[in-house]
Amino acid sequence: MVHSPLKLDTPQEWDLSDLYTDFDDPRLVEDLDSLQQTANQFRQQYQGKVKQLTPEQIVTCLQDLEQIYQKSGYLYAYPSLVFAADTRNTEAKQFLDKVMEALTGVDNQLLFFDLELKSLDSEAFSQLQASPALKNYQHHLIRIAELRPYKLSEEVEQTRNRDSLTGRQAFIQLRSVHLGEQEYPDVTTPEGKTANTEAELSALLYHPQEEVRHNAYSAVRTVIKEHNLLYGYILNAIAQDHKIENQMRGYPSTLQKQLIEDQVSEPVFTAIMEGTASRFDLFQRYYQLKSQEIGQKIRICDLYAPWTTQATPPLSYQSGVELLLAALEKFDINYARRAEEFFLKSWIDAKVRPGKRGGAFCAYSHGKHSYLLLSYTEDYNSVFTLAHEMGHALHFAWIDETQSYLNSNPPMVLAEIASTFNELLLLDSLLESAADETIRKSLLTRQLEDQLNLLFRQSTISRLELAVHQRASEGSFDHLFINEKWMELYQLLCGDSVELLADHQYDWARIGHIFFKPFYCYQYTASNIVSLACYQKYRQVGKAFIPGYLELLASGGSQDQVQALRQYVDVDLEDPATIRGALDYVEGLISQLETLI
């Protein structure tokens, strides 16, 4: 076990003072005012003159913009993090609205610069790209060039930004606020523990008793069902707004828009979707095996049921943190020490509270560090969630040391690699130290269920989005359409191996990404495929893999992600064999499991 000075008796709450102390902190208003003034000065100095600037002057402009964007990030991060920790905090919500309105004004002041760059003729733009002065911004310029065909006039771009506050973004926020206000029925376990938050009820899906799992599942879905019409209305409004934007900019579809934004080619997307669809048999084989072992038909609420009725002892926060740090230390001591800093400095909010946003995330502020949010429920699932989000945090820590703001945002496939890699490190460490065969089997099945989620559930969510946005392109839709399509797609995935309960038709409303950012979820699948390829290479070559891996993390958004994967870790995302390798890995785990039962 890693030696640590940490004393964490209970899940901690984060300390946001590296951003601001509270909403009375005078720096909040001062920074907001100075930011708006700086943006206005930038506009006055450069608007209409970009085509006359030398490459060296363009570099100065980009550096000025990076400072503005960095401070904008701090101003947005503080109220949004306070709000995420307590969605019932009206002061946080009001200040977040104020900041978003102000930052939209700042963005509108600065829009001209990118638009004027995009308006340069091909020869002038090529000369900029060839300039040694702009070497560090090459990928940023490439991205600008890729988006040139889809630009609008400055006036229209500004209008789109302003309208988003009361349009798409407002609907996204409405769902978050509304969901955070919900109260769930109490579910009491035979052990006498009562759960009534979304995080606690979700944790009970791992309970050994089928009645407890069903009650916990129903408690959440019954509430979601009550608001099925509202969430369907919200998703339709968001999808229609994407359609309008597509028409205005000339994107063929919402999918095409997101693939361009996320730097993923359509053949890669298609290969991932077709590759996973061709192996639904793996999902079904696993759950047929589980059904035989536990002696009951697997219902959708039983997906995470333990393979044994023997309850796993609670895993304290202190123990969970120590297990994670020990796993990271086996990989690299410096990697583990960077992770430890997040606990020592309270950059993590892990406490379970009513009103806290569901799920987990890592929020990064360039020039500072990340903050992690999760709800720790004293089980192995929580430890793996912590490992996942810490992977993001460590990824950004390496980026922050090497990249300026405009190169700091990794494409989505790269953005999920470190998180999954961390989970694999944790799994292997736990398997090595587990003396109890029951725990070993539990860890193996947990990894399998995690892989099945990443490869098949996440890609199924994107299949739902394909249907939703195709329907939106033809006209509006309602909650009934989404319910029916979700059940149809899940039935294809599950076959006869899992019984779908009626309430599953409402479950899509719990998936935040389909509201926040279309076609995000297949990228979990893509990143998992790449992470498995990276991890297999690490297992093959050992410590020699680490320098290239850390260089991959540090590259951030400074280059093409397919090229970066080839250069640093010799993984080819465009090679179908990489996808087959991930599916073969899962099939191998199932075969291993079959030998244990």
Side-chain angles (χ1 to χ4, degrees):
M1 188 69 67
V2 66
H3 175 72
S4 171
L6 294 171
K7 296 296 180 186
L8 303 168
D9 296 330
T10 59
Q12 61 199 124
E13 298 182 63
W14 53 27
D15 176 2
L16 301 179
S17 60
D18 278 359
L19 294 169
Y20 299 96
T21 54
D22 52 38
F23 287 110
D24 293 325
D25 189 333
R27 293 178 300 153
L28 271 169
V29 175
E30 291 168 5
D31 286 354
L32 199 55
D33 288 344
S34 69
L35 187 71
Q36 292 168 310
Q37 293 172 13
T38 303
N40 185 53
Q41 291 167 0
F42 184 90
R43 182 181 182 86
Q44 290 177 359
Q45 185 172 357
Y46 295 113
Q47 186 185 22
K49 304 172 184 176
V50 173
K51 65 180 179 181
Q52 302 161 14
L53 298 178
T54 66
E56 289 74 18
Q57 290 172 320
I58 293 288
V59 170
T60 298
C61 289
L62 292 174
Q63 291 171 343
D64 289 346
L65 287 171
E66 287 181 316
Q67 292 182 13
I68 293 172
Y69 295 147
Q70 188 179 74
K71 184 173 284 188
S72 295
Y74 303 157
L75 285 162
Y76 173 78
Y78 182 73
S80 66
L81 290 173
V82 174
F83 177 70
D86 181 8
T87 59
R88 301 176 184 185
N89 186 325
T90 55
E91 184 179 26
K93 173 65 172 64
Q94 290 168 357
F95 199 88
L96 180 58
D97 289 342
K98 176 183 177 180
V99 166
M100 289 176 65
E101 182 177 0
L103 295 185
T104 298
V106 169
D107 286 344
N108 279 348
Q109 290 276 65
L110 304 175
L111 267 174
F112 77 91
F113 189 79
D114 263 12
L115 292 174
E116 289 188 33
L117 278 180
K118 290 174 183 175
S119 297
L120 294 174
D121 61 49
S122 298
E123 182 179 351
F125 197 87
S126 296
Q127 288 176 355
L128 276 184
Q129 289 182 293
S131 170
L134 284 158
K135 180 181 178 181
N136 290 337
Y137 295 100
Q138 277 299 303
H139 191 62
H140 180 67
L141 293 175
I142 290 170
R143 294 294 296 144
I144 288 175
E146 290 172 346
L147 295 170
R148 288 174 76 186
Y150 310 106
K151 71 178 181 66
L152 302 171
S153 69
E154 183 182 13
E155 183 179 9
V156 175
E157 293 280 11
Q158 290 177 336
T159 301
R160 284 291 303 168
N161 280 345
R162 284 193 297 267
D163 286 351
S164 179
L165 293 172
T166 52
R168 186 196 304 172
Q169 193 59 44
F171 278 109
I172 292 171
Q173 195 77 332
L174 170 61
R175 174 195 168 271
S176 295
V177 172
H178 188 270
L179 202 56
E181 288 287 339
Q182 300 313 306
E183 296 184 356
Y184 301 98
D186 289 351
V187 173
T188 302
T189 70
E191 301 82 27
K193 179 181 177 181
T194 298
N196 53 24
T197 67
E198 197 273 344
E200 292 170 323
L201 291 166
S202 294
L204 288 183
L205 296 179
Y206 297 82
H207 195 276
Q209 291 199 7
E210 57 182 290
E211 183 180 1
V212 172
R213 295 193 298 270
H214 183 267
N215 290 344
Y217 180 92
S218 298
V220 173
R221 276 74 184 175
T222 298
V223 172
I224 299 295
K225 177 183 178 180
E226 292 175 8
H227 308 292
N228 184 224
L229 186 150
L230 172 63
Y231 295 140
Y233 182 87
I234 291 172
L235 186 56
N236 176 63
I238 291 169
Q240 297 300 329
D241 189 78
H242 280 290
K243 178 180 74 172
I244 291 169
E245 183 178 11
N246 299 338
Q247 293 168 344
M248 294 175 70
R249 295 186 183 279
Y251 289 109
S253 66
T254 300
L255 172 64
Q256 289 292 336
K257 177 177 67 177
Q258 293 304 139
L259 290 179
I260 292 169
E261 181 178 320
D262 297 327
Q263 304 173 54
V264 174
S265 69
E266 188 169 5
V268 168
F269 172 81
T270 301
I272 290 168
M273 300 301 283
E274 290 180 351
T276 51
S278 71
R279 295 308 313 268
F280 284 171
D281 64 290
L282 295 175
F283 186 94
Q284 295 164 15
R285 177 179 162 191
Y286 174 81
Y287 283 107
Q288 286 166 355
L289 194 64
K290 187 170 187 174
S291 178
Q292 295 166 13
E293 179 70 5
I294 68 175
Q296 70 169 76
K297 176 76 172 181
I298 298 293
R299 304 163 296 176
I300 195 69
C301 62
D302 300 319
L303 290 184
Y304 304 116
W307 281 61
T308 173
T309 55
Q310 181 181 344
T312 304
L315 193 62
S316 71
Y317 188 57
Q318 174 85 28
S319 298
V321 171
E322 289 177 350
L323 288 171
L324 172 59
L325 293 177
L328 300 184
E329 189 172 277
K330 290 175 186 176
F331 176 67
D332 183 74
I333 186 65
N334 292 323
Y335 200 68
R337 291 290 78 78
R338 293 295 290 274
E340 188 177 38
E341 186 178 13
F342 283 79
F343 301 102
L344 290 170
K345 296 185 176 178
S346 295
W347 295 339
I348 299 173
D349 192 304
K351 189 174 181 179
V352 176
R353 290 187 300 275
K356 186 174 182 177
R357 190 195 127 161
F361 65 74
C362 168
Y364 167 55
S365 294
H366 184 268
K368 291 187 182 291
H369 54 80
S370 299
Y371 284 99
L372 309 185
L373 179 140
L374 69 149
S375 294
Y376 191 89
T377 51
E378 297 195 334
D379 50 33
Y380 279 101
N381 191 52
S382 292
V383 183
F384 277 93
T385 298
L386 183 58
H388 182 100
E389 301 306 334
M390 185 60 73
H392 287 306
L394 293 170
H395 188 175
F396 287 123
W398 257 259
I399 289 172
D400 209 69
E401 288 184 351
T402 56
Q403 304 296 342
S404 65
Y405 183 94
L406 290 174
N407 289 328
S408 66
N409 191 26
M412 292 312 305
V413 172
L414 288 188
E416 291 295 338
I417 288 176
S419 54
T420 304
F421 195 90
N422 258 26
E423 292 191 62
L424 295 169
L425 288 171
L426 176 62
L427 174 71
D428 269 1
S429 178
L430 292 174
L431 286 173
E432 287 172 12
S433 61
D436 188 298
E437 190 63 34
T438 301
I439 293 179
R440 289 181 59 82
K441 187 175 176 181
S442 174
L443 290 167
L444 180 61
T445 53
R446 189 219 170 274
Q447 168 65 356
L448 263 165
E449 288 169 9
D450 195 39
Q451 288 296 324
L452 294 172
N453 170 45
L454 288 166
L455 291 170
F456 298 113
R457 182 175 187 271
Q458 298 299 332
S459 55
T460 294
I461 293 169
S462 287
R463 289 184 183 91
L464 174 68
E465 292 181 291
L466 284 170
V468 162
H469 288 284
Q470 176 59 39
R471 180 63 177 265
S473 71
E474 300 164 359
S476 64
F477 56 85
D478 61 12
H479 57 294
L480 299 177
F481 168 76
I482 317 172
N483 296 347
E484 181 180 349
K485 184 57 65 174
W486 183 237
M487 289 292 274
E488 175 189 319
L489 290 167
Y490 239 83
Q491 192 62 64
L492 286 172
L493 171 60
C494 294
D496 296 328
S497 64
V498 176
E499 177 187 344
L500 292 181
L501 303 177
D503 282 354
H504 186 67
Q505 65 185 299
Y506 314 115
D507 214 49
W508 55 266
R510 299 176 61 247
I511 306 167
H513 287 311
I514 67 174
F515 297 89
F516 305 152
K517 189 177 188 298
F519 300 103
Y520 188 104
C521 290
Y522 86 89
Q523 293 175 93
Y524 282 121
T525 305
S527 285
N528 184 59
I529 289 167
V530 172
S531 292
L532 285 172
C534 288
Y535 199 72
Q536 287 166 328
K537 286 186 178 294
Y538 166 59
R539 293 293 300 272
Q540 290 165 8
V541 304
K543 297 290 186 180
F545 172 82
I546 295 175
Y549 176 72
L550 295 180
E551 283 188 78
L552 174 68
L553 299 189
S555 68
S558 64
Q559 63 189 97
D560 175 78
Q561 60 187 345
V562 173
Q563 175 190 337
L565 284 165
R566 289 173 180 155
Q567 177 181 341
Y568 297 120
V569 291
D570 192 27
V571 169
D572 190 348
L573 180 59
E574 295 182 333
D575 186 349
T578 305
I579 299 173
R580 289 197 301 271
L583 296 167
D584 289 346
Y585 170 81
V586 172
E587 187 165 22
L589 289 180
I590 295 175
S591 297
Q592 286 182 47
L593 182 62
E594 286 172 334
T595 66
L596 296 176
I597 59 177

